[in-house]
Amino acid sequence: MKLVKNLLMVSIISGLVSASAFAATDNAALVKEGKKIFMTKKLGNCSACHAINGMDVNAAGSLGPKLSGLKNWPTQTLFDTVYDIYATRGLKISAMPAFGRDGWLSNQQITAVVAFLKTIN
């Protein structure tokens, strides 16, 4: 009986380790995709307007605010801001497009951008 319990415990721990390793790999791919969207002119092109605190990503942007401390922001707030900054912030005028509302980026692409933004100190 003790052997069965030990085997069961090893199996559970092994499954958890595998799941967390898979999640970390999956998140790394999502962050990489988000950075690509952030930097690519024909996708998000966020770097045209935003510089990034502590990252040398050739972000020349000075039109929008310098991005910093985003790793501490709630994920949903970041998603909503990229999806539709007007509704999220109660704005009538903004240089930033409503990327999701206007169909520039899909929800999946915005999720990737948010994963990248969450890496910004």
Side-chain angles (χ1 to χ4, degrees), residues 17-88:
V17 168
S18 297
S20 66
F22 178 74
T25 302
D26 193 39
N27 191 55
L30 197 60
V31 168
K32 183 177 178 180
E33 179 65 19
K35 183 175 182 179
K36 177 183 172 188
I37 294 166
F38 186 95
M39 299 300 298
T40 302
K41 188 173 185 177
K42 291 184 179 183
L43 292 172
N45 198 26
C46 310
S47 62
C49 295
H50 295 284
I52 301 173
N53 185 45
M55 289 188 188
D56 181 18
V57 291
N58 299 322
S62 60
L63 179 62
K66 182 176 185 177
L67 302 179
S68 65
L70 297 182
K71 72 177 189 172
N72 300 315
W73 281 41
T75 301
Q76 190 64 50
T77 300
L78 289 172
F79 184 93
D80 293 345
T81 300
V82 175
Y83 186 88
D84 185 357
I85 191 168
Y86 299 93
T88 303

